[in-house]
Amino acid sequence: LCDWSSDVCSSDLDNMSDSQAALACLVQDGGSECAEALQAFHGRWRENPLVLDKWFTLQATCRRPGAVARVQELLAHEDFQLSNPNRARSVLHAFAASDPTGFHAADGSGHRLVGEQVTALDALNPQVAARLAGTFSSWRRFDEGRQASARAALEGILARDPSRNVREVVERVELMLDAVNTEWCECLCECDLALWVHAQVLGRRVVTLGEDHANVAMSYNNMANVLYRQGKLGDAMAMHQKAVTIKIAALGEDHVD
């Protein structure tokens, strides 16, 4: 570790990749040399935005105890700007995607932190915020306590009047409507659950987008496919007809869809 610390701090080492690799080892170890090495690396590469992003990511993805506090310190750092998409990803996305022990901490602090940052980021860049909200997609795989804290964070995002981008992602995640989970529940013939999920999304899309939106037609088609699997052909036909009517009105009779 002393040799690695010397490599990071040495002004004679011109290879950034070697310095970064040495720093990564020190950050994960968290020894006495870590703070000095972080300061030295920051001082040397501060004017290079891409390298500085790596500096932030190394700390945000460290799996030692105290992950949430570390991320909060990074968010308060003078070189962190939430309005910078790359800088936001280097901390928030990196933490949520690469440190499951911190993000899914039993006390819910990781979920709360990311949920609050989704809202803050949404005001600046809805697309990047939506990507961050998507990191909650695995929440149903955890124990009841972690599921409860993740759901609370998701509901908190929805309660703060998010953008359309974020709302659509959060609704899919909250209702287990990502492609993998939908396919999973339908392939297991849990058609009643799948139908309920699609109905919930339909209701939210009508409220958010209006009854004549193309995404509402998509929900009707999804429900029709499940009804068809259940053998309810008449109900399935009715749902498909609603979808066709909406799409013709929204897109025109000659549209490819």
Side-chain angles (χ1 to χ4, degrees):
L1 290 177
C2 291
D3 290 342
W4 290 335
S5 180
S6 298
D7 286 345
V8 175
C9 299
S10 174
S11 59
D12 297 328
L13 188 62
D14 295 326
N15 190 313
M16 185 277 295
S17 297
D18 287 346
S19 285
Q20 181 188 340
L23 182 62
C25 295
L26 290 168
V27 168
Q28 293 298 332
D29 179 74
S32 58
E33 300 91 351
C34 179
E36 180 185 356
L38 282 168
Q39 184 176 359
F41 190 93
H42 176 271
R44 184 165 188 186
W45 300 102
R46 182 176 185 178
E47 302 305 320
N48 187 318
L50 295 179
V51 178
L52 194 58
D53 286 341
K54 297 178 185 295
W55 181 83
F56 275 102
T57 297
L58 285 177
Q59 297 174 81
T61 57
C62 175
R63 298 189 180 186
R64 289 187 288 108
V68 172
R70 255 191 320 275
V71 171
Q72 290 173 329
E73 289 180 4
L74 293 173
L75 295 178
H77 194 277
E78 61 180 342
D79 289 323
F80 179 84
Q81 303 89 27
L82 190 62
S83 58
N84 182 326
N86 288 337
R87 193 58 46 82
R89 282 190 287 264
S90 73
V91 175
L92 294 170
H93 294 69
F95 167 67
S98 301
D99 183 11
T101 57
F103 179 41
H104 300 292
D107 63 359
S109 57
H111 293 153
R112 287 192 297 273
L113 173 65
V114 174
E116 291 167 358
Q117 291 303 313
V118 167
T119 299
L121 189 54
D122 194 22
L124 302 170
N125 193 323
Q127 291 78 20
V128 177
R131 289 284 300 275
L132 180 59
T135 58
F136 282 94
S137 62
S138 63
W139 70 278
R140 288 186 181 272
R141 301 176 186 174
F142 293 88
D143 59 82
E144 291 184 1
R146 288 177 171 85
Q147 286 189 27
S149 66
R151 180 179 283 278
L154 292 168
E155 291 178 348
I157 295 170
L158 292 176
R160 294 188 286 269
D161 192 24
S163 66
R164 180 176 299 179
N165 302 67
V166 170
R167 179 175 293 278
E168 289 186 356
V169 170
V170 171
E171 287 176 347
R172 285 200 302 269
V173 170
E174 187 181 20
L175 294 172
M176 199 176 64
L177 194 63
D178 58 275
V180 173
N181 283 330
T182 301
E183 181 180 2
W184 172 77
C185 71
E186 291 182 2
C187 287
L188 287 178
C189 299
E190 295 182 0
C191 292
D192 289 337
L193 172 60
L195 190 62
W196 178 85
V197 169
H198 289 310
Q200 296 299 308
V201 173
L202 170 63
R204 294 194 179 188
R205 283 178 171 172
V206 169
V207 171
T208 305
L209 305 174
E211 294 183 355
D212 299 327
H213 196 277
N215 284 353
V216 172
M218 185 186 304
S219 287
Y220 279 122
N221 271 331
N222 290 338
M223 294 176 70
N225 291 335
V226 178
L227 289 166
Y228 178 82
R229 289 190 180 192
Q230 290 180 315
K232 300 176 181 179
L233 303 186
D235 292 338
M237 180 64 73
M239 289 292 178
H240 278 310
Q241 187 59 53
K242 287 183 178 181
V244 170
T245 301
I246 292 172
K247 284 194 172 183
I248 289 176
L251 305 174
E253 293 186 355
D254 298 327
H255 194 275
V256 65
D257 285 342

